[in-house]
Amino acid sequence: MSRLSALRLLLIAALAALTGFITTVWMSAQGMGSPVLPRTSLVTVLGIALIVLTLGLLVWRDQRRIARAAAQGRRRQRSLHPLHAVRVLTAGQAGAYAGALIAGWHAGILGDLVPAAALTAPNVNSSLLMITGGVIWVIIGFVVELLCRVPPDENPTGQQRRGPTRRDTGQIPEEGYARGTH
């Protein structure tokens, strides 16, 4: 899984801003309103961000418990399955991408609305709130990525491995393997 790239997120936000600006100009020319998410959407955005952050903190806490137990020379059982950590990381990254998209879209809309409307206009207010929510999502995406980092490999290549060695199961047959016949 690749790490979040600030440059990629900025590019997504810039493209979304351009698209939002062009869409708002076109919709205004057609006599339609601005395509702004309502303020109540901010509750959903922040709620999801809080859930993902909480799950990231649980993964981090589980990693710290295991590290403390290893430092004391005892083995500690994981309370979270490693796939859960990957899912939390994926949710954090998806939130960062969605946050960049939402913030960029509303920044483009704001670019069209601000010259014509006051900062107290409802659509301008909603755009500012959604930009803030999108930026919070991006920040939480980076934080969750840091919280879900895997500790360095305990057995770097080239060192002797303790415990049972890997069994040699022989060569894989070239013909008929997919069908299960030899």
Side-chain angles (χ1 to χ4, degrees):
M1 176 173 275
S2 63
R3 298 186 65 169
L4 282 174
S5 167
L7 182 62
R8 190 179 305 150
L9 291 173
L10 284 173
L11 182 63
I12 289 170
L15 289 173
L18 179 65
T19 306
F21 182 79
I22 291 170
T23 303
T24 303
V25 169
W26 180 79
M27 288 181 73
S28 296
Q30 301 297 320
M32 295 185 252
S34 300
V36 178
L37 288 174
R39 290 181 210 161
T40 55
S41 298
L42 185 63
V43 174
T44 304
V45 167
L46 294 179
I48 291 171
L50 185 63
I51 290 169
V52 171
L53 181 61
T54 303
L55 291 172
L57 288 169
L58 290 174
V59 170
W60 179 78
R61 187 182 70 181
D62 190 47
Q63 290 288 352
R64 297 295 84 62
R65 281 186 193 160
I66 293 169
R68 265 195 315 257
Q72 295 173 354
R74 55 190 172 105
R75 186 173 169 99
R76 173 138 176 108
Q77 196 71 347
R78 287 189 178 276
S79 59
L80 292 173
H81 193 277
L83 283 178
H84 294 300
V86 172
R87 290 177 184 142
V88 171
L89 174 64
T90 304
Q93 288 185 347
Y97 286 119
L101 193 63
I102 289 171
W105 175 265
H106 286 88
I109 292 171
L110 196 62
D112 181 54
L113 291 178
V114 166
L119 288 177
T120 58
N123 282 349
V124 173
N125 257 344
S126 293
S127 290
L128 287 172
L129 289 174
M130 292 311 296
I131 290 169
T132 304
V135 169
I136 289 172
W137 252 9
V138 170
I139 291 169
I140 286 179
F142 278 108
V143 168
V144 167
E145 187 176 67
L146 286 174
L147 292 175
C148 293
R149 286 174 63 190
V150 176
D153 191 9
E154 296 172 1
N155 185 23
T157 58
Q159 291 184 357
Q160 285 292 333
R161 182 177 175 187
R162 289 182 282 174
T165 58
R166 186 174 172 188
R167 276 191 317 170
D168 184 20
T169 57
Q171 291 183 344
I172 298 174
E174 293 180 19
E175 290 185 33
Y177 183 72
R179 291 186 304 266
T181 60
H182 295 256

